[in-house]
Amino acid sequence: GRLRADAALDEALSSMGGCVYGRFWQLQVRRPSLTIPVLELMATCINFLTFEELVAAARCVVLEIDALASPTVLSKHRAGCAGLRVVLGIFTRLPQFRRFIDGEQRLFTSHVFGAGNPLGDSASRGKLRELTSLCEMLGMQAREVRLPPAAFEFVNAVLEALGEPLLTQEERAQRAGAPEPTAPPPRQTPQQRQQRHRRRQATRRTAGVPATW
């Protein structure tokens, strides 16, 4: 089986998507730590988790990616960028991944140029008309699928490790092609929380409110 995913990042869109045999998904999520290399690698991992049961019996599964960093990171199990290391570390500990690696290896990666990945690109950008047309030309019916709980758990684990807010209900419930959901406010650092607490205490003292309230 060949699994194709992609990601897009610009001022108007921060999104991931994938398509396998006409089944497709899209997840729009914008966070400061989610650069395009990180999004590309996350998209590949989410795509695998989403369609893992579909290819469970396959003797060879190839993750086709048009970002040069992702195949290298996944095949060598190491990354230079901190964000990529986080994604790789979480993904390679998952039982779904281990089932394809332990014993006889059945999971491989391959680089495919962007022009050769129109299904993944269309899915990641929510271009449903183009995606439907491509699937019809290939004799497939385009059908959106919901991400499984394992995919959402993976995304939240990455966001947690990067110090970013977890997925909101709006982000989890979105449909492909819909406008980008509103991103939650950034998490406060311990220093920011301490400063906020001091300002609150100072305001209370000025107002004559006991500090213990």
Side-chain angles (χ1 to χ4, degrees), residues 184-196:
R187 280 187 171 181
Q188 290 187 325
T189 64
Q191 293 80 4
Q192 290 173 324
R193 286 196 295 270
Q194 188 176 35
Q195 291 174 357
R196 182 182 177 186

Side-chain angles (χ1 to χ4, degrees), residues 17 58-59 67 76-77 89 105 141 151 167-168:
R59 298 188 63 181
K76 295 185 177 180
H77 290 197
Q105 181 173 342
Q141 181 178 2
L167 290 171
T168 64

Side-chain angles (χ1 to χ4, degrees), residues 21-80:
Y21 308 133
R23 299 172 176 86
F24 70 91
W25 60 272
Q26 183 193 27
L27 179 65
Q28 299 184 72
V29 53
R30 186 181 295 275
R31 301 288 189 279
S33 300
L34 299 184
T35 61
I36 189 61
V38 174
L39 285 171
E40 293 274 10
L41 182 56
M42 286 181 66
T44 300
C45 300
I46 294 170
N47 204 43
F48 172 76
L49 293 172
T50 301
F51 298 113
E52 184 246 346
E53 291 186 0
L54 188 65
V55 297
R59 298 188 63 181
C60 175
V61 175
V62 181
L63 307 179
E64 295 189 341
I65 319 161
D66 71 0
L68 285 171
S70 296
T72 302
V73 167
L74 284 171
S75 61
K76 295 185 177 180
H77 290 197
R78 64 174 183 269

Side-chain angles (χ1 to χ4, degrees), residues 76 87 116 158 166:
K76 295 185 177 180
V87 177
V158 171
L166 305 185

Side-chain angles (χ1 to χ4, degrees), residues 15 62 102 108 112 121 124 165 182 193:
S15 178
V62 181
D102 294 340
F108 305 89
V112 57
D121 179 74
S124 70
T182 303
R193 286 196 295 270

